[in-house]
Amino acid sequence: MKISLDAFLDRTQLKSLPSLFVSSPADPPHVRRGKRIAAVLLVIALLGAVGAVTALLHGHHAMGTTSEVPWGVLIATYVYFVVSSTGLCLVSSLGHVFGFKVFEPIAKKAIFLALVTLTVGFSVIATELERPFLLAKLAILTPNPTAPIWWMGALYALYMVLIGAELFFLFIEDHRRSKIVGAISVVAALAAHSNLGAVFGLSHARPFWYGPLLPVYFIASALMCGAALIILFVWLGDYFGNDRKVRPENEPLLNALRQLLALFIGIVAFFTIWKLITGVNGGHYHKYEVTMASLAGPMFFSFWVFEVLLGVVVPLVILFTQAKKSFGALALSAALPMLAVFVMRYNFVLGGQMFSLKPVHGHLGETFHYQPPFKGSVEGFLPYTPSLTEVLIVVGAIAAATLLYIGGAKVLRLNPEVRHG
Amino acid sequence: MARYGMTCDQKLCVTCNACVLACKNENQVPEGAARCWTVQEEKGAFPLLSIATRSERCNHCENAACVSACPTGASHYEAGGIVVVSADKCVGCKACILACPYEARYVHPDGYVDKCTFCLHRVKKGLDPACVSVCPTGALAFGDLDDPTSTVHKQLQARKAEVLKPDEDTRPKMFFLT
Amino acid sequence: MATPLNRRTFLRISGATVLGGLAVNAGLMPSREAQGAQDTSVIPDRVVPTMCELCFWKCGVNAYVKDEKVYKLEGNPLHPLSNGKLCPRGTGGGIGALYDPDRLKKPLIRTRVGGEEKWREATWDEALDYTAKRLNEVKDKYGAPAVALFSHGQGGAFFKTLLKAMGSKTIVAPSNDQCRGPRETGFELTFGAALGSVETIDIPNSKCVAFLGTHLGENMHNTAVQDMSKANANGATFITVDPRFSIIASKSKYWLPIKPGTDTALLLAWMNVLITEKLYDQDFVTNNTVGFEQLAEHVKDKTPEWAYIETGLEPKLIRETARELAKNAPASLVHPGRHVVWYGNDSQRSRAIAMVNALLGNWGKKGGFYLPSAMPVKGYPMPELPHGEEAKPRVKFPFATLPCAFDACEASAPAADDPPRIHAWIVYGCNVPLTLPNPKRVIEVMQQLDFVVAIDTMPAEVTGYADVVLPENTYLERYDELDNGPYRVPYVSLRQPVVASLYDSKPGWWIAKTLATKMGLGQYFPWKDAEEYLGKRLEASGLSFADLKRNGVLVGKPGPLYATEPAQTFNTPSKKVELFSQQLADAGLPPMPVYEAPEEPPTGYFRLLFGRSPVHTFSRTTNNRKLLEIVPENELWLNTEMARQLGLKNGDRVMMENQDSVKTGPIKLRVTERIRQDCVFMVHGFGREDARLRGGYKKGAADSRLVTRVKRDPEMGGTGMNVNFVTLYRFQEA
């Protein structure tokens, strides 16, 4: 051990938490603004807690999900958080595991945020389950190894332990052990996240999800999110801690990330294009209908504006032009994909459920009439609207993750200090 | 070991829904949910028309996607290949609902996932499932597919039958006589 | 002397009378924890056999009770009508009816409070005293026949006794001139026998059955469907003649998509083929009929080619189907139908059906029409009923053996300078405004009657216009008149209480008896209660009441089902089957059916046809929550091409307007290939207009509203209702 426990505790600054929300006279205006935003986030996080309690008390009755559309915005949000966590682990491993020095400085923050997003993600899905604690218990007592969800639980639990340990070793500056644990956690991250893709990808009943593409696509998305989030927390640290200017030691890092982000966005776009082509060409009812819903149907706006324009086109343009010069532009080119990924996960989770599997129109012009009439029995389309509880949990979770990060960064002194006089 | 299955004779079924209501009574199926349902599949153009009529439910597949997908083993095979959910082990993850190609499952208000059980509680007492008992046209039959004296066995020997979505490779045990 | 309440406004049965039901509904099902879902069994406290009343077939039902709640209904395996099976209405609807939160719970009296009309809850004594007083007033002032009874259901028997005790024979059943009447007349004129309910057709043994409009499978009369299915399973050939491709049409070898209103042409052409090709049963005709020569002459020119022009059916198809029927004779029949009031010439059409059956020689034969038997049950000894009279209707029909409800309704209103002949109505279990054509007219008539008392389980539309509303128990809470067939086996069937009365409602027998006593007619109800009434009668007939209570039904030995001699006797003037009816000729009516082409729909209009859903019994169940879950509303069937021309899509909501500019809707469209282009079809009984019927209010649309025109059957007065035309347009939300 390189550092003693006492010294470790000295390094933390729990007393400094309130200053996240309360402005002091010394604060410049942009910091004051930031603190006000943080206070608002705190309120939102508390509302999210209210939503979570409602969900725990009332279960599926508080949700907008139905027997026909059982996975809603909470599942999409959970995936969003774990894709972020995985990405952070993978991208930051380029530094302290694979030895690319330019990425080394952000190791602690990246792994810390990976842990935060993972925890928040788990909390979100716990509110979604009817009996989350029973799942934990039965996953150990009566596991079913053919179930992708069982593997999801097992692998992510393992991953959580591993990055917890990695963070610990990073903190006590034990670089040898952090590298070993880091390497294992990369493997765990790849396994867990591609398995999450397989939770959907192994659904033979739902052609829109089925296939080998999803596990790989999830990893590509994770890399993109990882790069974007690192850019964002560097920006956060420097914008508020270094008077809105990039710290010189972060310049090479940001330059590398800028290029990586562009690459990863390109890879994700590449996967998406092929997903669309096979969807349009495949002809299989379920896959074709959902693909067309994105390209020309009810999901038209969210697909073309959020996934394509804001998720790919605008960020790439900025990355190749303004981002080289402007710090703010770079941050924007990272924030937009993060927004787009949320929409992508939502469209993806809902997409696999938006049409009923019970046939409504057949290939030979048959029509099917069902009694009792089930939702979607006329045109096959199954609607879903998130309930207030679900919306509160989602926004609350995002706010909470942000606050936990900046709070943790402050308490654990992850940011280099503003030099006192 | 018995291998329980059901047949629905599309020639006889009139989609009256007596089966749906008998099941609702027998199994106290909550409002808004149904363990079985009827389908009229209409083909053709006036005046050359045909209708396939049938009563559908969980197919109690031999290679059930729902059983594979359940993380806790709540969805499992009972004796005779009847697929059942143990409510006390169901955590409400709903992976099974998404795995089922036939959309045979629903979320019970009490928070667990539920579906047709082939009226296992009746089968254990030597009775037919409620839907089979009530059917006024005699379209439904239930029994051991492997027992040469059972109605279902004899029907499947004598007549052409189809299953729903055979490409899903679930090997359903609900057969529709044509 | 109390002033008659003129101009009754429609009163809605208020929520205050509805609260109790909510509490019951909440605790409806025996509670069950999330146990291992393997064991969903409930052990009943008791199982009580009784007789269903979700429709009027009267199947035996076993009711399962746990913690004083009925949770399951199954067909009684001992009952010959159910054979252990049950239709969807009996299965789910019984529970839905018992626990319907909108049920009538207390007697109600209409009063005026501050210029406004309101319902006031009353005790039974008060309500019945008042009813007795008002009925006696009408009786004293206008004579007993001025009191009319509109009745449907087993319990009607007690009210019929009450009317007769009063000295009135003005007893009408809409099931006559709004339903089966012309069929009975047609068959009586031909074979001398009506077919009854549970028609005496030997379908299970039939090798060929032709259905004209009958849509078994959507019509779910339990035994009829079981029988049809047995024939189907045995490979019988079905021929369906229907403008709509019904479920039975889909199971038929031949579907004849006939132009609506032209069935008689088809029947005459069939007779032509059977006679010219000598396919008819010559022995039967020789031994049992009169008028064959006249018939042969009459149908000589009614060739399939002639019929093709009228019906649109290919001559080849007409010939093939006639030959198919003949090939399988005598185990071959043309189904007589049930609701036959279509075009106003329905007795003649029913007679044509009877005559085709006669040519097939299937009366009293296996697979044709069997000879039923009934279990004799003695009456209860009581004083002789007074000689009563019927209020004279303004129109009388020569072959109406029963009075017409339509004419009784009209006789209840003034006409030109003729005052009403009926001044008071007792309505038992029959929702008159939705049953008779043209609800608006029925309501007008009701509003100017001196007095109306309605006895029902639900606040059906008719109760909104009554002066007194008396809540009856559902069938699960009461004893009732016995059912003793006739059927292919003699039986007697019991309706007995399964659970105690949920509310302050009473059984029909008690209401009739108490009312009679208050009117001074108690001597005609000399028994103490239903148990005594039934018990003593069964005993006197050598039957065990205890056995009947335990099993729900007692079945006797059947008599011969089929004729044993080639020559049978018929209850007609000639004692034979009358292919030529002298009776009709003497009355100035066609002695043999004559084809009249139906009116064409105006341009842009469709003929309105209506029928049944397997899950409903018209307005009896269109508030029933259990059944509404399966079929929540009716839909309007429209041909695909017609929809395309009108720019309408499947699932669109449309308004319907008839030839008299009466509108109803909105109704959901079912665009389908399964119906001709010249007509539309909907299930009857939806579109409830009372907001207190919270289950069915405004669900679907009411076809009755659009039946503003009727064509009267000249023989017995049946009200042909398929003579209305509608146009459609998309519904615009206000």
Side-chain angles (χ1 to χ4, degrees), chain C residues 86 136 182 188 230 258 276 358 387 410 471 516 527 613 661 696 711:
Chain C
L86 214 52
N136 274 335
E188 271 162 354
K230 284 197 191 96
I258 195 168
T276 45
H387 167 79
E410 287 302 316
W527 32 269
S613 158
S661 306
K711 270 210 152 138

Side-chain angles (χ1 to χ4, degrees), chain A residues 127-213:
Chain A
T127 63
E128 204 278 337
L129 289 168
E130 298 293 318
R131 293 150 93 187
F133 302 107
L134 183 65
L135 175 60
K137 177 174 135 194
L138 290 177
I140 300 166
L141 293 180
T142 61
N144 183 14
T146 59
I149 290 200
W150 183 83
W151 283 101
M152 180 184 87
L155 289 170
Y156 271 115
L158 178 66
Y159 168 73
M160 190 179 209
V161 168
L162 286 168
I163 59 170
E166 190 180 351
L167 186 64
F168 175 71
F169 288 127
L170 284 170
F171 256 107
I172 61 168
E173 311 279 343
D174 183 347
H175 294 289
R176 192 182 66 93
R177 285 198 177 88
S178 72
K179 185 169 177 171
I180 295 168
V181 176
I184 304 174
S185 61
V186 163
V187 174
L190 287 169
H193 202 57
S194 57
N195 176 75
L196 180 57
V199 165
F200 301 93
L202 287 173
S203 257
H204 193 259
R206 293 178 186 267
F208 179 67
W209 289 340
Y210 185 70
L213 177 67

Side-chain angles (χ1 to χ4, degrees), chain B residues 10-18 20-22 24-28 30-33 35 40 42 44-51 53 76 78 84-88 108 110 112 114 117 120-122 124-125 132-138, chain C residues 29-30 32 34-43 71-74 84-89 91-92 95 217 220 222 225-226 228-229 232-233 235 243 245-247 250-251 255 257 614-615 626-627 629-630 639 670 672-676:
Chain B
Q10 295 185 93
K11 188 168 168 215
L12 300 181
C13 177
V14 292
T15 66
C16 73
N17 294 284
V20 179
L21 287 157
K24 275 185 147 301
N25 285 346
E26 180 73 35
N27 298 296
Q28 295 147 58
E31 198 187 318
R35 290 187 176 189
Q40 291 174 6
E42 303 173 352
F46 184 94
L48 297 167
L49 297 167
S50 69
I51 309 173
T53 48
H76 64 282
E78 281 282 320
V84 166
V85 180
S86 296
D88 53 353
H108 192 280
D110 290 350
Y112 58 91
D114 209 4
T117 58
L120 181 59
H121 61 285
R122 287 174 65 106
K124 281 183 177 165
K125 291 186 219 154
V132 175
S133 290
V134 78
C135 178
T137 60
Chain C
M29 281 305 157
R32 174 179 68 131
Q35 43 182 309
Q38 286 95 307
D39 189 352
T40 54
S41 54
V42 176
I43 313 292
Y71 66 93
K72 183 163 77 169
L73 296 162
E74 286 182 346
K85 314 276 183 184
L86 214 52
C87 85
R89 302 156 305 161
T91 307
I95 293 170
M220 273 313 287
N222 195 353
V225 175
Q226 289 184 37
M228 177 274 289
S229 201
N232 192 11
F245 191 67
S246 56
I247 293 293
S250 75
K251 299 194 185 299
W255 172 44
V615 165
K626 293 256 172 223
L627 301 177
E629 225 193 297
I630 315 296
N639 178 277
R670 177 170 169 167
T672 176
E673 290 288 330
R674 285 171 60 185
I675 191 168
R676 285 173 58 103

